[in-house]
Amino acid sequence: MDVLRRERVNEAVDQAPAGFAALYREQYGAMVRLAYLLTDSKAIAEELVQDAFVRVYQRWAHVDNGPAYLRRAVVNACRSHHRRRFLERRHPAEPPPPVEMPEPDGMWELLAGLSPRRRAALVLRFYEDLPVRDIAEALGCSSGTVKSLIHRGLAQLRKGMDP
């Protein structure tokens, strides 16, 4: 686990109930070793242990034996990981269809000069052929704002096209 993430986790643990914080400090290394032995990957082991601690924390008020509950959560997480991997190998995902990229031309350079919102409004309107209502929903703004973005974006494109 990278140093920054470890520091954030330690800060969160310091704010957790005393018993949980003690469980984390006492059991983290042992649980990572256990998960590593079950998964044969340090990165996956660390991730599964972090997820197990989150699940234990969510149920902390109902936990009687913290180390046993945590161990069970780690083992179950490892089993779920292996089950998922088995299914992924057994039923591999189909590769996505090839994406046809538009040929770059002078218009793409002009579009790149627009603000991100104006560019998004124009691309959604003229390349995706979406109505103003759908563009407004996609951009999280009103229809009037979309109309303004399109109008000003087109004006800016016209200026860029003039010799």
Side-chain angles (χ1 to χ4, degrees):
M1 181 184 317
D2 66 3
V3 175
L4 216 56
R5 185 173 176 203
R6 171 67 91 175
E7 287 175 9
R8 284 193 306 248
V9 168
N10 284 334
E11 288 173 13
V13 167
D14 288 340
Q15 296 172 6
F20 182 82
L23 176 71
Y24 181 84
R25 288 192 175 81
E26 292 168 6
Q27 296 294 318
Y28 179 80
M31 292 299 109
V32 170
R33 280 189 298 278
L34 171 63
Y36 174 76
L37 291 170
L38 295 173
T39 62
D40 199 31
S41 168
K42 184 177 185 241
I44 291 171
E46 288 176 340
E47 188 174 322
L48 293 175
V49 168
Q50 286 299 325
D51 291 345
F53 270 107
V54 168
R55 284 192 299 282
V56 170
Y57 181 77
Q58 291 169 340
R59 303 274 308 150
W60 188 246
H62 306 288
V63 173
D64 293 328
N65 183 345
Y69 193 90
L70 176 63
R71 188 176 312 104
R72 182 64 174 214
V74 169
V75 170
N76 285 342
C78 293
R79 290 177 63 212
S80 293
H81 168 75
H82 285 299
R83 202 170 22 250
R84 207 170 27 257
R85 295 284 297 157
F86 172 76
L87 289 173
E88 287 172 357
R89 283 192 300 267
R90 191 169 180 202
H91 305 287
E94 292 183 28
V99 176
E100 198 173 310
M101 299 302 288
E103 290 294 321
D105 58 11
M107 183 57 69
W108 285 106
E109 291 174 18
L110 293 173
L111 279 171
L114 297 176
S115 72
R117 285 177 51 94
R118 285 182 185 173
R119 181 172 54 233
L122 289 174
V123 167
L124 291 171
R125 178 67 186 103
F126 297 106
Y127 285 92
E128 292 295 316
D129 201 27
L130 291 179
V132 170
R133 170 180 28 88
D134 292 349
I135 297 169
E137 185 178 322
L139 296 180
C141 61
S142 70
S143 294
T145 301
V146 170
K147 291 175 186 176
S148 174
L149 289 169
I150 291 172
H151 176 76
R152 291 178 180 166
L154 288 173
Q156 191 174 344
L157 289 178
R158 283 186 198 101
K159 282 183 189 175
M161 290 173 50
D162 289 336

